[in-house]
Amino acid sequence: MEQYEPDRLSPAQVAAVRRGPRTGRAFLTRRSLLRSGAGGVLAAGGLGTLSACGIPPAGKARGGVPAEDHSAKEKKLAFSNWTEYMDVDDSGRRHPTLAAFTRRTGIEVEYTEDINDNNEFFGKIKPQLAAGQDTGRDLIVLTDWLAARLIRLGWVQKLDPANLPHAFANLSPQFREPDWDPGRAYSYPWQGISTVIAYNRKALDGVEVTSVSDLLDNARLKGRVGLLTEMRDTVGMTLLDMDKDPGRFTDDDYDAAVARLQRAVDKGQIRRFTGNDYTSDLSKGDFAACLAWAGDVVQLKADNPDVDFLVPDSGYITSSDNLLVPNKARHKTNAERLIDYYYEPRAAAELAAYINYVCPVDGVREELAKIDPDAADNPLILPDQAMQAKSRAFRSLSPTEETAYETKFAKLTGA
């Protein structure tokens, strides 16, 4: 039988899956877990072997398999999400936006925070999806690389635009055309994730940092720079600094970026590569500057006035977590109504005020300002047009590319 992926992961792929120590607050832990499976690597319990034995190879299937929709008769839906990825109000009441959705529509939401890692969760639902069975879930949230894989496999359903008027109208332009789901036929973003440069003003001690070049080349920062163990972010930001598009780069471009990073490593410029535990190094000043995820920086700035961020003129990397309806879901229309609800400005604002990631909903600023004026003015939560224009996504990788790129990156980081 022709195998799509090998039975065993390469050492580099295993290292990629394990990256991201579980430290910090709950939502910071969720960040490191999110990144731990990045780039399309599927670990034990994940995709495993896809062969001609009843499971279509990725790239040869498109379009999910609908089931009979029971939404009209069964006013409910099952929603699986990551931990600490839903709003809580000031009194500690959990998930008020879900409660408001139920009051308006009569649809009861069985909300479960049972996604702790992309690979682990995929292992839970893969047997049912591969067998063409109901997973017991009507709506799931997956990071872009895994969302892309499920779409290629034909394991998620095409969404009905008639049920998504707010989503269609209010989706931020920077999230409209991912190469893995053009036009958002199968998915809508739950939240966006931006990679920026963070710095500790006190630790910089007057050193000017404006670009990735400064991180890699400024001798006054030697041994006080942090880069991310997530390949797409570190290499993607380096490609941008080299005036290469992360959405269109070649093998030679990738090799040139890795070589540039290797020179910085060899001369002792890089203190270390980290998961989200850079937050501690940055706060303490062990890192004068580093690559960072915007959701973390929002929280760090609130706790430490010395911490701030910048977006290089060359641009920054954006990825996303995405809402999808798996094959054979019993309540597809109800799930689409919930997706659309979170693209209404009021509901989106309540969610953004708690989560602090990039809100993918246009027109939310006025509502968010009523809840949290600081959040409404924060470009890490609501990117303005200038920041949106600098946003770039790392292109989708083939399995062959993924293996080769992770192997080279693992050698660079010492993983």
Side-chain angles (χ1 to χ4, degrees):
M1 295 182 295
E2 180 184 358
Q3 293 183 347
Y4 166 66
E5 291 192 345
D7 288 320
R8 296 182 181 276
L9 298 176
S10 70
Q13 290 175 315
V14 172
V17 170
R18 289 175 177 169
R19 288 200 286 261
R22 304 183 179 204
T23 59
R25 286 178 246 188
F27 91 97
L28 294 181
T29 302
R30 177 246 177 275
R31 156 66 54 244
S32 64
L33 288 168
L34 182 154
R35 309 306 292 186
S36 68
V41 180
L42 294 175
L47 190 58
T49 301
L50 296 184
S51 67
C53 298
I55 304 177
K60 296 185 179 179
R62 186 86 180 187
V65 180
E68 181 181 356
D69 192 348
H70 298 266
S71 293
K73 295 181 179 179
E74 299 176 3
K75 305 293 283 185
K76 61 182 181 179
L77 70 96
F79 180 10
S80 284
N81 202 353
W82 296 79
T83 58
E84 303 296 328
Y85 217 18
M86 183 63 75
D87 55 314
V88 176
D89 67 17
D90 292 339
S91 67
R93 183 168 59 99
R94 293 176 62 79
H95 317 327
T97 55
L98 286 177
F101 173 78
T102 298
R103 287 194 300 271
R104 180 199 297 183
T105 64
I107 298 170
E108 295 286 342
V109 181
E110 179 187 339
Y111 181 73
T112 307
E113 295 182 338
D114 60 344
I115 305 179
N116 294 308
D117 176 87
N118 282 295
N119 297 300
E120 178 185 4
F121 182 71
F122 188 74
K124 293 179 183 179
I125 63 176
K126 181 183 69 133
Q128 289 83 15
L129 291 172
Q133 299 172 352
D134 181 10
T135 66
R137 299 166 175 87
D138 301 297
L139 193 61
I140 57 178
V141 179
L142 298 177
T143 306
D144 44 20
W145 65 267
L146 185 53
R149 184 64 58 86
L150 264 67
I151 291 170
R152 291 197 303 268
L153 288 167
W155 286 356
V156 293
Q157 297 187 51
K158 193 169 186 177
L159 301 173
D160 185 351
N163 295 327
L164 298 160
H166 296 98
F168 180 80
N170 296 335
L171 176 60
S172 173
Q174 75 180 103
F175 295 104
R176 282 191 179 270
E177 295 290 337
D179 65 355
W180 48 271
D181 187 16
R184 290 290 182 179
Y186 296 87
S187 68
Y188 270 89
W190 177 246
Q191 297 290 292
I193 307 153
S194 298
T195 304
V196 296
I197 294 176
Y199 60 88
N200 184 309
R201 189 176 290 103
K202 185 175 181 180
L204 280 179
D205 193 26
V207 178
E208 184 178 13
V209 172
T210 62
S211 67
V212 172
S213 290
D214 292 328
L215 299 185
L216 301 181
D217 300 328
N218 192 320
R220 293 178 63 189
L221 297 179
K222 183 176 179 179
R224 299 190 295 136
V225 171
L227 300 179
L228 294 167
T229 53
E230 165 46 36
M231 179 267 287
R232 291 180 178 226
D233 291 319
T234 292
V235 175
M237 292 291 281
T238 304
L239 285 167
L240 284 169
D241 191 70
M242 299 169 64
D243 200 28
K244 301 294 184 180
D245 184 351
R248 297 176 179 272
F249 67 90
T250 65
D251 287 347
D252 288 343
D253 294 334
Y254 183 90
D255 289 343
V258 169
R260 187 173 182 211
L261 290 164
Q262 187 66 61
R263 289 194 294 272
V265 170
D266 291 344
K267 67 184 180 182
Q269 186 77 4
I270 311 305
R271 185 181 183 92
R272 65 191 185 103
F273 291 80
T274 73
N276 87 293
D277 55 331
Y278 67 81
T279 56
S280 175
D281 288 317
L282 186 62
S283 294
K284 291 187 299 183
D286 292 340
F287 284 163
C290 63
L291 296 183
W293 293 306
D296 298 349
V297 179
V298 173
Q299 296 295 323
L300 290 174
K301 279 171 57 68
D303 295 336
N304 186 339
D306 289 326
V307 172
D308 212 332
F309 78 99
L310 65 92
V311 177
D313 289 340
S314 58
Y316 66 100
I317 295 293
T318 297
S319 55
S320 60
D321 288 333
N322 306 276
L323 296 154
L324 305 105
V325 178
N327 282 359
K328 298 295 184 177
R330 288 177 59 88
H331 310 105
K332 178 175 182 284
T333 298
N334 290 346
E336 290 168 336
R337 292 183 68 182
L338 185 62
I339 295 172
D340 196 62
Y341 166 73
Y342 277 109
Y343 274 80
E344 296 179 19
R346 178 63 186 180
E350 292 183 24
L351 189 65
Y354 180 75
I355 294 179
N356 290 162
Y357 291 117
V358 179
C359 179
V361 181
D362 261 359
V364 75
R365 186 177 303 278
E366 182 177 346
E367 291 294 338
L368 184 55
K370 298 175 185 177
I371 303 169
D372 187 342
D374 290 339
D377 290 334
N378 192 328
L380 296 183
I381 298 173
L382 295 183
D384 56 23
Q385 288 187 347
M387 188 162 177
Q388 287 186 30
K390 294 182 178 181
S391 171
R392 298 290 184 272
F394 199 95
R395 69 171 173 83
S396 298
L397 301 178
S398 70
T400 299
E401 288 176 322
E402 180 59 38
T403 300
Y405 291 174
E406 283 289 1
T407 298
K408 294 173 182 178
F409 191 71
K411 182 179 179 181
L412 169 74
T413 63

